[in-house]
Amino acid sequence: MQMKRTNQTTKKRKKASRKDFYMEIRKSPGRFLSILFIVALGVAFFSGIRASEPDMRLSGDSYFDEAELMDIKAICTYGVTERDVRAMEKADGIARAEGAYSADFLYSAKDEQQVLHVMSLQEKMNRVTVSKGRLPEKTGECLADDNSEFKIGDKIELKSGTDDEISDTLKTDTFEVVGLGNSPCYLSYGRGSSTVGDGSIQAFLVVPEDTFDMEVFTEVYLQVEGAKALLAFTDAYDNRIEEVLERVEELVDERDSLKDEAKEKLEEAKAELEEGKEEARRELLDAAEKIADAERQLADARVQIQDGRRQIGEAKSTLNSKQKELDSALA
């Protein structure tokens, strides 16, 4: 009996709520329609985004595959040698490895300094898409960021943002823009951060690899085996990269430790060399002092010899004089 009364009470409340709802709509139909359209618009946008997500992933993955975009970028503390690149390429799970150069420089434009990221043109990975002009072919030519204010034919003079001379990194500091394009390394309008200038990179430049005058690469790009067959921005792709990334980090740490050990031995050898130089300098000073003493003794001996010769001359003169007196007396 009580349950029946409860059901009746619930029905009355629902009926009253429904009645209040309709009354509110009648009182302010404009507000109701506004809320209805806002909700409908939001649902439409959300449905559109969710429906376009698979297509966006497919389009992005197709672009990455065509541009041969790297899967992993490895940077070592002391740079990357050609031997390091070969060692990483032979690592388990790595399909290809390619060394590259890059550095940040300052550029003066419109009474302000901008930071430009200069990177080398690669053969295997990270293929640049040319929108205007052509790719750079020799030292002094560059391809500029398509989203920058540079135009074909512009001259760009770079300045070093550190204490090092620009000649320690590049063979020239002046470049002519021969093309505009995009790099798969940059997927958004942001160009990353830097340790020079105001810390924000405004644009990138692509130059031939032989424009850099460096003994080692600044980074190495890696492609993971089986990653190209997986769809980008998915858990399967991320898990595959993470699996190989752990081995790459171990390899990089190992290469760094070897270089640390080599640097420590080099410092020890330098210290031994300095000690040897100091000891040799002391021995040279001792020898020079002995030579000086011998020269002084030789000079004294020469003086004594001169005195002896003078005494002999005087004795001969005295002897001749006495001889003459003796001859005269005998006569």
Side-chain angles (χ1 to χ4, degrees), residues 125-316:
M125 304 183 202
N126 305 330
R127 294 175 181 171
V128 177
T129 303
V130 179
S131 57
K132 293 182 182 179
R134 59 177 176 83
L135 290 173
E137 298 175 351
K138 59 182 180 180
T139 301
E141 295 182 346
C142 72
L143 180 138
D145 191 347
D146 195 17
N147 292 323
S148 66
E149 298 179 355
F150 295 117
K151 299 178 181 179
I152 296 178
D154 287 350
K155 297 289 185 179
I156 301 176
E157 184 176 355
L158 301 177
K159 297 180 181 179
S160 177
T162 61
D163 296 334
D164 298 332
E165 296 292 334
I166 196 171
S167 57
D168 297 336
T169 306
L170 299 175
K171 295 180 180 178
T172 180
D173 60 355
T174 305
F175 295 88
E176 178 184 358
V177 179
V178 297
L180 302 175
N182 298 288
S183 170
C185 296
Y186 297 99
L187 303 179
S188 62
Y189 290 104
R191 294 298 181 251
S193 59
S194 174
T195 57
V196 302
D198 61 0
S200 178
I201 298 175
Q202 276 72 40
F204 67 84
L205 300 179
V206 180
V207 300
E209 186 177 287
D210 56 5
T211 303
F212 283 86
D213 190 15
M214 304 176 69
E215 296 181 356
V216 295
F217 298 113
T218 56
E219 62 251 358
V220 57
Y221 293 106
L222 308 172
Q223 286 184 339
V224 177
E225 291 180 352
K228 185 177 289 188
L230 300 174
L231 187 63
F233 306 110
T234 60
D235 292 339
Y237 175 83
D238 294 340
N239 293 336
R240 176 57 181 163
I241 299 303
E242 287 294 334
E243 179 183 350
V244 179
L245 184 60
E246 294 179 0
R247 293 195 288 268
V248 173
E249 290 175 348
E250 293 176 358
L251 185 59
V252 171
D253 292 339
E254 180 182 351
R255 305 302 294 182
D256 276 341
S257 64
L258 290 175
K259 290 178 181 179
D260 287 337
E261 184 178 351
K263 185 178 181 181
E264 185 178 351
K265 291 182 179 180
L266 180 61
E267 293 297 330
E268 292 177 357
K270 286 182 179 179
E272 293 179 359
L273 178 61
E274 291 299 327
E275 291 178 0
K277 286 182 179 180
E278 183 64 23
E279 185 177 354
R281 190 179 67 83
R282 289 195 298 266
E283 291 178 356
L284 287 174
L285 290 176
D286 294 340
E289 187 176 353
K290 290 179 180 179
I291 291 174
D293 291 338
E295 288 179 348
R296 286 194 296 270
Q297 293 176 5
L298 181 60
D300 294 339
R302 286 175 179 173
V303 172
Q304 292 177 2
I305 290 172
Q306 292 293 336
D307 292 340
R309 287 177 178 176
R310 186 174 61 254
Q311 292 175 4
I312 291 173
E314 293 175 353
K316 285 183 178 181

Side-chain angles (χ1 to χ4, degrees), residues 35-52:
I35 296 174
L36 177 64
F37 289 145
I38 291 173
V39 173
L41 188 62
V43 172
F45 269 113
F46 180 75
S47 301
I49 292 173
R50 289 304 302 267
S52 62

